[in-house]
Amino acid sequence: MTSTGRDVRTIYDEKVAADLRRDPDQEQVVARLDALRSVLLRRRGFGPRRLLSRDPPAGGVYLWGEVGRGKSMLVDMFIRSLEDVPIRRAHFHAFMRDIHKALHAERADASADPITAAIDTQIRGQRLLVLDELEITDIVDAMIVGRVFDRVLSRGISIATTSNRAPSDLYRDGLKRDLFVPFVDLVEDRLDVIRLGGARDYRRSAHEVPSLRRIPAEGRLGRGLDEIWAALPDTGESWFEFGRRGRIRQKGTAVRAPFAALCSTALAPADFLNLAEAVETVMIEDIPALSDRDRDAVRRFMILIDALYDAGCDLVLGAAPAPDELYRGDIFAEAFARTASRLHEMAGPGWPGHSQLT
C-alpha cells in the first residue's frame, strides 16, 4: 500500500481552484479525513492492528449534517486519496440488502454463525467500507446493524459513513429502540463523529430551479406525460416486475407508474434499489400533495428518490406541487428536506440523461 501523494487537502484545494467556493466547515472535515487517511496508509496488510496512541479513532468516521452541505463530495475526495486501498462503497440500504441476501444463503446452508458468515462475504478483502446515507427505517436493519459494524471493525476494516442525522437521532421513534441503542454507543465510541455544518445547501444554490421537469397536474398532465413517453425509442411496451408486488409499465430502459403503485404499495427498500439498478428513466405520475396522513407513502417516496438519485436515473414527475411543497407535515420535515434537495439537484442540466427528455 503506497500513498498517492495527493491527500484530501490537495484534492480539495484543486477543486476550489476549479469551481468550488472554499468553505471553512468543509475544511475542518478535510483535516479529520486526512488524519484517518494517514492511519490507513500506515497500516500494512489486513486484519486487526494495534495503532499508536496518537492516532485518531481507528474505526473511521461518521460524517453527518444537513442536506447539500458536501458530505458525499468530501467522502469522494477521501476515496480518491486512497487509490491503493481496497474499498467497498455502497448506499447503506443497498449494503444491508446484500447482507440480508447473504444471510438467507448462509441459513440455507445451515451455517453455524450465519450472520457473521454473511457479513464476512460482503467485506472480504476490503480495508475501508464506505456507506452513503445511513438511515435506519426498518426494524430488521435496526436489530442487526450493530452486529454488522462490530464485525467490520473487529476485522480491522475502517468505516466511513455519511448521514443526515447525529448517531443519537437514528431510528429515534422506532420499535424496540432500546435494542438499537448499543449501535449508537458503538458509533460514538469507535468512530470519529463529525458534524458538517454550514448554512448553505449547495445542491440548490448551484442552479435555482423551481421544479423538476414536472408536468402540471391541471389541464395537460396526461397529455404531457404521454408526449414524453411517446418520444422514447419505440421498443414496444411490456411490464416491469420487481419485488412481490411491483408491476409497472416499461418501454426500453424507461418505466412509468402512478405514485400509488410505487409508494402506496407494500414495497421495501430492496425493491426500489432493484428498480433503480435495472432502468435509466422513471416517470412518476399523479403525485399528490403529501401530509402526515400519508406517512407510509412519504417514507417510501423518500427511499425511492434516494435509490434513483444514487443510481443516476433520470426522473420525470407528474405533480402539482413543486419539490419543496410536495410534503407538508411535521413527522418527516427534516428527512424530506434531503428529498427536496435531491430533486433540485436532479433538475440540473448536468444530471444524467437530462437532455434526452427535454
Side-chain angles (χ1 to χ4, degrees):
M1 186 185 303
T2 59
S3 171
T4 64
R6 298 176 69 247
D7 57 13
V8 185
R9 166 60 65 184
T10 299
I11 296 172
Y12 182 82
D13 287 343
E14 290 172 352
K15 181 68 173 173
V16 168
D19 58 10
L20 183 71
R21 177 182 295 183
R22 190 175 295 279
D23 185 315
D25 294 288
Q26 292 178 352
E27 289 189 295
Q28 292 181 23
V29 176
V30 165
R32 305 271 279 275
L33 291 175
D34 268 333
L36 177 60
R37 176 179 182 270
S38 296
V39 174
L40 286 169
L41 294 179
R42 277 200 297 271
R43 301 168 81 178
R44 306 297 179 183
F46 300 90
R49 299 285 179 179
R50 184 179 299 278
L51 300 179
L52 299 176
S53 61
R54 67 175 180 272
D55 285 331
V61 297
Y62 180 102
L63 179 59
W64 72 279
E66 295 182 24
V67 297
R69 268 55 183 182
K71 298 185 295 293
S72 295
M73 177 192 72
L74 294 173
V75 170
D76 287 341
M77 293 177 180
F78 179 54
I79 291 173
R80 287 169 57 197
S81 76
L82 296 166
E83 291 179 359
D84 298 326
V85 177
I87 298 171
R88 176 174 179 182
R89 179 176 189 167
H91 188 280
F92 175 75
H93 287 310
F95 180 74
M96 294 304 295
R97 175 196 58 183
D98 292 344
I99 290 289
H100 290 303
K101 285 182 178 179
L103 181 57
H104 178 76
E106 294 295 336
R107 285 172 173 163
D109 291 341
S111 172
D113 187 355
I115 189 167
T116 296
I119 297 166
D120 287 348
T121 65
Q122 301 304 309
I123 60 175
R124 187 171 293 118
Q126 305 305 311
R127 288 291 295 112
L128 175 66
L129 174 65
V130 179
L131 297 176
D132 291 315
E133 302 293 349
L134 193 154
E135 178 71 24
I136 308 294
T137 59
D138 186 287
I139 188 172
V140 179
D141 287 347
M143 294 304 101
I144 70 169
V145 66
R147 289 280 304 275
V148 173
F149 271 50
D150 185 66
R151 181 62 178 175
V152 172
L153 295 171
S154 71
R155 294 290 303 273
I157 299 169
S158 295
I159 296 173
T161 187
T162 65
S163 178
N164 291 333
R165 298 179 183 271
S168 59
D169 286 336
L170 291 169
Y171 199 56
R172 185 164 43 195
D173 299 314
L175 295 173
K176 299 183 179 180
R177 192 177 187 275
D178 57 316
L179 300 178
F180 176 76
V181 171
F183 170 71
V184 176
D185 295 337
L186 180 149
V187 168
E188 293 179 338
D189 290 344
R190 303 184 64 181
L191 301 186
D192 186 11
V193 178
I194 310 170
R195 181 184 180 187
L196 177 55
R200 191 179 189 196
D201 182 342
Y202 287 94
R203 292 188 187 128
R204 296 175 185 270
S205 57
H207 43 76
E208 295 296 339
V209 180
S211 63
L212 177 72
R213 277 175 292 151
R214 57 191 177 89
I215 309 300
E218 296 180 1
R220 66 183 190 92
L221 171 60
R223 182 171 61 85
L225 287 178
D226 286 343
E227 290 173 353
I228 295 175
W229 187 252
L232 295 171
D234 187 6
T235 57
E237 288 196 34
S238 59
W239 291 100
F240 181 88
E241 298 186 6
F242 60 107
R244 292 180 296 174
R245 301 174 182 268
R247 188 171 187 264
I248 57 180
R249 295 169 64 185
Q250 181 173 17
K251 187 178 182 183
T253 59
V255 293
R256 175 180 179 179
F259 175 87
L262 292 170
C263 301
S264 299
T265 304
L267 295 173
D271 297 324
F272 295 134
L273 289 166
N274 292 337
L275 171 66
E277 291 172 357
V279 303
E280 296 179 2
T281 301
V282 176
M283 298 172 61
I284 308 173
E285 52 191 319
D286 301 330
I287 302 176
L290 300 168
S291 70
D292 288 339
R293 293 174 297 180
D294 313 297
R295 62 179 64 188
D296 289 338
V298 173
R299 184 183 293 109
R300 292 190 191 102
F301 182 70
M302 293 189 295
I303 295 172
L304 170 61
I305 297 303
D306 281 347
L308 300 179
Y309 177 92
D310 289 324
C313 291
D314 195 36
L315 179 64
V316 178
L317 300 183
D324 293 324
E325 300 170 350
L326 280 173
Y327 169 70
R328 293 184 177 181
D330 299 319
I331 297 174
F332 303 109
E334 181 180 348
F336 201 87
R338 176 182 68 186
T339 300
S341 177
R342 288 190 157 187
L343 291 177
H344 276 276
E345 183 178 1
M346 294 169 83
W351 188 255
H354 181 93
S355 60
Q356 296 175 15
L357 293 178
T358 55

